[in-house]
Amino acid sequence: MSHLKFIATTTFGLEATVKREVQRLGFENITVYDGAVYFDGDETTIPKANINLRSSDRVLLIIGQFKAFSFDELFEKTKALNWQDWIPKDGNFIVTGKSIKSQLYSVPDCQSIVEKAIIENLKKKYKINWFEKTGAKYKIQVSILKNEATLTIDTTGDALHKRGYRSSAVIAPLKETLASALIELSFWKKDRVFLDPTCGSGTIPIEAAMIAKNIAPGISRRFISENWGNIPKEVWKDAKIKAYSEIDINFKPEIYASDIDPKAIEIAKHNAVNAGVDDCILFETKALKEISLKNDYGVCICNPPYAERMGELKDVENLYKDMGKIFRKNKTWSFYTITSHENFEKLYGKKADKKRKLFNGNVKIDYYQYFGAKPPKSN
Ligand SMILES: C[S@@+](CC[C@H](N)C(=O)[O-])C[C@H]1O[C@@H](n2cnc3c(N)ncnc32)[C@H](O)[C@@H]1O
């Protein structure tokens, strides 16, 4: 079981960000495809990747990959894989599927064939005909792309954006994984001032504080594979102890977060306490237009409303104009924002230095990036 292959799944546009994270964690043989970063590892990779990846959605364990042009081929090749190494006699396994540009296009048929093939494989090992499925959960996926089938088991369970600290949220909260990716894509370093003036439930500043203090995103949650019998409990324990030992408890980043809505600030404060970073974020109820930039070389990353609903457009456009008025004035500040509004740059009053296409859920957005002057090097 020592040589294993994995996929860290990503939202469209975040592949390079997740690849960098996978590299930083020391995993090898990395290849990138749309929405997926492949890498090699062993059983210790399962806790390490799940606990530490900030921008990936989930970590899948690859059981096999092969060409499949017929149901017979899918059945036989699936049956021949090492399911018995992973699924115990009482394993509660379910199969989901997807098929894109492939001869085997009926997903329900593919799922049921894969399930039958796995049962045949397990029957041989356990010498039983009926599986009670009363034990740990195994979420298997058959994914067929251009006639190449990839069979995986999900090691994550609840997706990785569910860190566990956000007990309540405002309308339209940002996924924690996307918030973290926006920070990773910026030039912010932990010694620079950070600001989110439309912080809502606090996701972006909380993720920034966790990065600054090196708090692993999955440190206080559980993962589906923690219940798998064949990964020794020690492996999980060691990965968690390591993550705790790497927290920089004494580092206090300078992070400011504000919102016009006092209820949002109440929620954000509560979430920051849950995340263990309330000591380094200064929350304030404040309209964006009241912000004055006191320090130099700060970085603002925000997720303002986009006005998906009629009637809000004027307010949102005025908000974007106010952003321009405040942040264009100070040439040392860097300003980053996401929105689906096509005329953002015009309203802000300046063309972005860089623009990146991303998705916030199903909504196509642009990540507008305005780079301020580089801070002087400290000696
Ligand atoms: C899309 S939400 C932000 C969600 C946040 N990133 C999260 O994860 O919860 C936009 C936020 O902008 C705030 N907002 C709207 N107009 C504002 C203004 N003029 N000044 C400051 N905040 C404003 C709203 O109250 C709302 O909380």
Side-chain angles (χ1 to χ4, degrees):
M1 222 190 281
S2 58
H3 183 85
L4 303 172
K5 288 186 169 296
F6 296 92
I7 302 172
T9 67
T10 86
T11 310
F12 173 82
L14 295 186
E15 293 86 350
T17 312
V18 173
K19 180 190 174 185
R20 270 205 300 276
E21 285 191 48
V22 167
Q23 264 166 340
R24 277 206 296 267
L25 288 172
F27 301 129
E28 289 179 345
N29 202 11
I30 304 167
T31 41
V32 177
Y33 297 92
D34 282 352
V37 177
Y38 284 63
F39 60 98
D40 288 359
D42 56 27
E43 63 187 7
T44 64
T45 302
I46 297 177
K48 188 176 176 183
N50 275 301
I51 292 170
N52 293 292
L53 282 174
R54 293 187 192 275
S55 307
S56 166
D57 292 325
R58 57 183 64 247
V59 180
L60 306 177
L61 166 70
I62 302 177
I63 303 296
Q65 242 179 340
F66 50 79
K67 288 275 177 206
F69 293 93
S70 68
F71 288 133
D72 274 352
E73 215 177 350
L74 181 63
F75 182 84
E76 292 303 331
K77 289 181 175 172
T78 301
K79 198 174 91 176
L81 297 173
N82 291 333
W83 298 103
Q84 73 281 358
D85 286 350
W86 290 97
I87 303 176
K89 199 174 180 176
D90 64 351
N92 180 6
F93 61 95
I94 51 154
V95 182
T96 59
K98 58 182 178 189
S99 172
I100 301 165
K101 293 183 186 161
S102 298
Q103 247 162 267
L104 299 180
Y105 58 84
S106 164
V107 173
D109 285 336
C110 292
Q111 282 172 203
S112 108
I113 278 160
V114 164
E115 181 163 5
K116 277 186 195 137
I118 295 171
I119 289 172
E120 283 311 306
N121 169 299
L122 297 180
K123 269 184 184 171
K124 235 195 203 162
K125 158 130 187 200
Y126 300 116
K127 315 262 182 287
I128 53 172
N129 283 318
W130 178 251
F131 291 88
E132 297 281 346
K133 295 193 175 184
T134 51
K137 271 194 188 143
Y138 294 80
K139 286 158 84 179
I140 294 158
Q141 191 183 62
V142 47
S143 164
I144 312 181
L145 174 65
K146 294 182 187 160
N147 302 309
E148 169 109 352
T150 305
L151 285 134
T152 57
I153 308 181
D154 175 22
T155 70
T156 302
D158 283 342
L160 290 176
H161 73 272
K162 297 202 170 170
R163 319 287 207 216
Y165 64 73
R166 206 163 67 186
S167 43
S168 38
V170 296
I171 299 166
L174 200 62
K175 266 191 184 174
E176 294 82 340
T177 40
L178 180 55
S180 162
L182 298 182
I183 299 165
E184 171 72 30
L185 287 167
S186 78
F187 285 122
W188 181 67
K189 294 281 170 292
K190 64 182 185 177
D191 53 352
R192 291 178 76 171
V193 171
F194 186 98
L195 165 70
D196 177 356
T198 59
C199 74
S201 32
T203 319
I204 302 176
I206 290 172
E207 289 294 320
M210 288 175 76
I211 291 169
K213 292 175 85 76
N214 206 24
I215 301 175
I219 205 159
S220 47
R221 57 159 281 178
R222 288 185 61 81
F223 302 92
I224 196 169
S225 50
E226 278 184 72
N227 301 321
W228 297 356
N230 58 346
I231 304 176
K233 295 273 176 254
E234 283 305 304
V235 173
W236 277 100
K237 203 171 145 199
D238 290 350
K240 287 192 179 176
I241 289 173
K242 187 162 188 301
Y244 274 107
S245 72
E246 285 171 352
I247 298 176
D248 192 349
I249 328 169
N250 297 320
F251 187 75
K252 282 245 171 81
E254 200 175 339
I255 300 179
Y256 299 91
S258 47
D259 196 288
I260 199 167
D261 179 1
K263 264 199 236 113
I265 292 299
E266 208 178 293
I267 290 170
K269 278 184 179 169
H270 187 71
N271 291 338
V273 171
N274 289 344
V277 293
D278 51 312
D279 60 335
C280 50
I281 308 175
L282 190 74
F283 288 104
E284 242 183 313
T285 303
K286 197 190 250 184
L288 179 127
K289 67 174 177 212
E290 285 164 24
I291 284 185
S292 59
L293 303 175
K294 291 180 201 84
N295 323 66
D296 280 339
Y297 303 104
V299 175
C300 171
I301 305 183
C302 62
N303 161 220
Y306 316 153
E308 299 288 299
R309 272 172 289 177
M310 296 297 288
E312 292 173 351
L313 193 60
K314 210 74 241 120
D315 285 348
V316 164
E317 292 185 340
N318 284 334
L319 179 66
Y320 296 172
K321 283 181 194 165
D322 288 339
M323 287 175 172
K325 281 182 206 150
I326 295 167
F327 292 97
R328 278 191 289 118
K329 253 198 312 215
N330 187 327
K331 304 270 180 270
T332 71
W333 270 73
S334 300
F335 177 80
Y336 299 81
T337 195
I338 49 169
T339 180
S340 59
H341 195 304
E342 305 260 312
N343 279 333
F344 176 79
E345 287 164 301
K346 211 165 157 213
L347 295 158
Y348 184 85
K350 195 178 168 197
K351 224 173 144 26
D353 294 307
K354 199 170 171 187
K355 239 164 85 172
R356 197 186 181 103
K357 293 231 164 299
L358 294 173
F359 276 90
N360 183 6
N362 293 328
V363 183
K364 235 188 198 170
I365 51 168
D366 276 296
Y367 189 29
Y368 294 92
Q369 305 167 47
Y370 297 89
F371 306 138
K374 272 191 192 156
K377 280 205 174 101
S378 51
N379 297 317

Coordinates of all heavy atoms in Angstrom, one line a residue, residues 166 169-175 196-204 258-261 264 286-289 303-305 319, ligand 1:
R166 N -16.9 28.3 10.6 CA -18.0 29.2 10.2 C -19.3 28.7 10.6 O -20.0 28.0 9.9 CB -17.9 29.4 8.7 CG -18.5 30.8 8.3 CD -18.2 31.2 6.9 NE -18.7 30.3 5.9 CZ -18.5 30.4 4.6 NH1 -17.6 31.4 4.2 NH2 -19.0 29.6 3.7
A169 N -23.2 32.5 8.8 CA -22.7 33.3 7.7 C -23.7 34.3 7.2 O -24.9 34.2 7.5 CB -22.3 32.4 6.5
V170 N -23.2 35.3 6.5 CA -24.1 36.3 5.8 C -24.7 35.7 4.5 O -24.3 34.5 4.2 CB -23.4 37.6 5.5 CG1 -22.9 38.3 6.7 CG2 -22.2 37.3 4.5
I171 N -25.5 36.4 3.8 CA -26.0 35.9 2.5 C -24.8 35.9 1.6 O -24.0 36.8 1.6 CB -27.1 36.8 2.0 CG1 -28.3 36.8 2.9 CG2 -27.6 36.4 0.6 CD1 -29.3 37.9 2.6
A172 N -24.7 34.9 0.8 CA -23.6 34.8 -0.2 C -22.2 34.8 0.4 O -21.3 35.6 0.0 CB -23.7 35.9 -1.3
P173 N -21.9 33.9 1.4 CA -20.6 33.9 1.9 C -19.6 33.2 0.8 O -20.1 32.5 0.0 CB -20.7 33.0 3.1 CG -21.8 32.1 2.8 CD -22.8 32.9 2.0
L174 N -18.4 33.6 0.9 CA -17.4 33.0 0.0 C -16.9 31.6 0.5 O -16.8 31.5 1.8 CB -16.2 34.0 0.0 CG -15.3 33.9 -1.2 CD1 -16.0 34.3 -2.5 CD2 -14.1 34.9 -0.9
K175 N -16.7 30.7 -0.4 CA -16.1 29.4 0.1 C -14.8 29.7 0.7 O -14.0 30.4 0.1 CB -16.0 28.5 -1.1 CG -17.2 27.6 -1.3 CD -16.7 26.5 -2.3 CE -17.9 25.6 -2.6 NZ -17.6 24.7 -3.6
D196 N -10.0 43.8 4.7 CA -11.2 43.4 3.9 C -12.3 44.3 4.4 O -12.9 44.2 5.5 CB -11.6 41.9 4.2 CG -12.8 41.5 3.4 OD1 -13.5 42.4 2.8 OD2 -13.2 40.3 3.5
P197 N -12.7 45.3 3.5 CA -13.7 46.3 3.9 C -15.2 45.9 3.7 O -16.1 46.6 4.0 CB -13.4 47.5 3.1 CG -12.8 46.9 1.8 CD -12.1 45.6 2.2
T198 N -15.4 44.7 3.1 CA -16.8 44.2 2.9 C -16.7 42.7 3.4 O -17.0 41.8 2.7 CB -17.2 44.2 1.5 OG1 -16.3 43.5 0.7 CG2 -17.3 45.6 0.9
C199 N -16.3 42.5 4.7 CA -15.9 41.2 5.2 C -17.0 40.2 5.4 O -16.8 39.0 5.5 CB -15.1 41.4 6.4 SG -16.1 41.8 7.9
G200 N -18.3 40.7 5.4 CA -19.4 39.7 5.7 C -19.1 38.8 6.9 O -18.8 39.3 8.0
S201 N -19.2 37.5 6.7 CA -18.9 36.6 7.8 C -17.4 36.4 8.2 O -17.1 35.6 9.0 CB -19.6 35.3 7.6 OG -19.7 35.0 6.3
G202 N -16.6 37.2 7.5 CA -15.2 37.2 7.9 C -14.3 36.2 7.2 O -13.1 36.0 7.6
T203 N -14.8 35.5 6.2 CA -14.0 34.4 5.6 C -12.6 34.8 5.1 O -11.6 34.2 5.5 CB -14.8 33.8 4.4 OG1 -16.2 33.7 4.8 CG2 -14.3 32.4 4.1
I204 N -12.5 36.0 4.4 CA -11.2 36.3 3.8 C -10.2 36.7 4.9 O -9.1 36.1 5.0 CB -11.3 37.4 2.8 CG1 -12.2 37.0 1.6 CG2 -9.9 37.8 2.2 CD1 -12.5 38.0 0.6
S258 N -14.0 45.1 8.0 CA -15.1 45.9 8.3 C -16.3 45.5 7.4 O -16.1 44.9 6.3 CB -14.8 47.4 8.3 OG -14.1 47.7 7.1
D259 N -17.5 46.0 7.8 CA -18.7 45.7 7.0 C -19.7 46.8 7.4 O -19.7 47.2 8.6 CB -19.2 44.3 7.2 CG -20.2 43.9 6.1 OD1 -21.3 44.4 6.1 OD2 -19.8 43.0 5.3
I260 N -20.6 47.1 6.5 CA -21.6 48.1 6.8 C -22.7 47.6 7.7 O -23.3 48.3 8.4 CB -22.2 48.7 5.5 CG1 -22.9 50.0 5.7 CG2 -23.1 47.6 4.8 CD1 -23.3 50.7 4.4
D261 N -22.8 46.2 7.7 CA -23.8 45.6 8.5 C -23.3 45.1 9.8 O -22.5 44.2 9.9 CB -24.3 44.4 7.6 CG -25.4 43.6 8.3 OD1 -25.8 43.9 9.4 OD2 -25.8 42.5 7.7
A264 N -23.3 41.3 10.4 CA -22.2 40.6 9.7 C -21.0 40.6 10.6 O -20.3 39.6 10.8 CB -21.9 41.2 8.4
K286 N -18.5 49.5 9.6 CA -18.1 50.7 8.9 C -18.5 50.6 7.4 O -18.3 49.6 6.8 CB -16.6 50.9 9.0 CG -16.1 52.2 8.8 CD -14.5 52.1 8.7 CE -13.9 52.8 9.9 NZ -12.4 52.8 9.8
A287 N -19.0 51.7 6.9 CA -19.3 51.7 5.4 C -17.9 51.9 4.7 O -17.0 52.6 5.2 CB -20.2 52.9 5.0
L288 N -17.8 51.3 3.6 CA -16.5 51.3 2.8 C -16.0 52.8 2.6 O -14.8 53.1 2.8 CB -16.6 50.6 1.5 CG -15.3 50.6 0.7 CD1 -14.9 49.2 0.3 CD2 -15.4 51.5 -0.5
K289 N -17.0 53.7 2.3 CA -16.6 55.0 2.0 C -16.0 55.8 3.2 O -15.3 56.8 3.0 CB -17.7 55.8 1.3 CG -18.9 56.1 2.2 CD -19.8 57.0 1.5 CE -21.0 57.2 2.4 NZ -22.3 57.4 1.7
N303 N -14.6 40.9 -1.3 CA -15.6 40.2 -2.0 C -16.9 41.0 -1.9 O -17.8 40.7 -1.0 CB -15.8 38.8 -1.5 CG -17.0 38.1 -1.8 OD1 -17.6 37.4 -0.9 ND2 -17.6 38.2 -2.9
P304 N -17.0 42.1 -2.6 CA -18.2 43.0 -2.4 C -19.4 42.3 -3.1 O -19.3 41.4 -3.8 CB -17.8 44.2 -3.2 CG -16.9 43.8 -4.3 CD -16.2 42.6 -3.7
P305 N -20.6 42.9 -2.8 CA -21.8 42.4 -3.5 C -21.7 42.6 -5.0 O -21.0 43.6 -5.5 CB -23.0 43.2 -2.9 CG -22.4 44.2 -2.1 CD -20.9 44.0 -1.9
L319 N -20.6 51.7 -4.7 CA -19.6 51.1 -3.9 C -18.3 50.9 -4.7 O -17.2 51.2 -4.2 CB -20.1 49.8 -3.4 CG -19.2 48.9 -2.5 CD1 -18.9 49.6 -1.1 CD2 -19.8 47.5 -2.3
Ligands
LIG1 C1 -20.7 39.0 -0.7 S1 -20.8 39.6 0.9 C2 -19.2 39.2 1.5 C3 -19.2 37.8 2.0 C4 -17.9 37.5 2.7 N1 -16.7 37.4 1.9 C5 -18.1 36.2 3.4 O1 -17.5 35.2 3.1 O2 -19.0 36.1 4.3 C6 -20.7 41.3 0.7 C7 -20.7 42.1 2.0 O3 -20.5 43.5 1.6 C8 -21.2 44.3 2.6 N2 -21.4 45.7 2.1 C9 -22.3 46.0 1.1 N3 -22.2 47.4 0.9 C10 -21.2 47.8 1.7 C11 -20.7 49.1 1.9 N4 -21.1 50.2 1.3 N5 -19.6 49.2 2.8 C12 -19.2 48.1 3.5 N6 -19.7 46.9 3.4 C13 -20.7 46.7 2.5 C14 -22.5 43.5 2.9 O4 -23.0 43.9 4.2 C15 -22.0 42.1 2.8 O5 -21.7 41.5 4.1

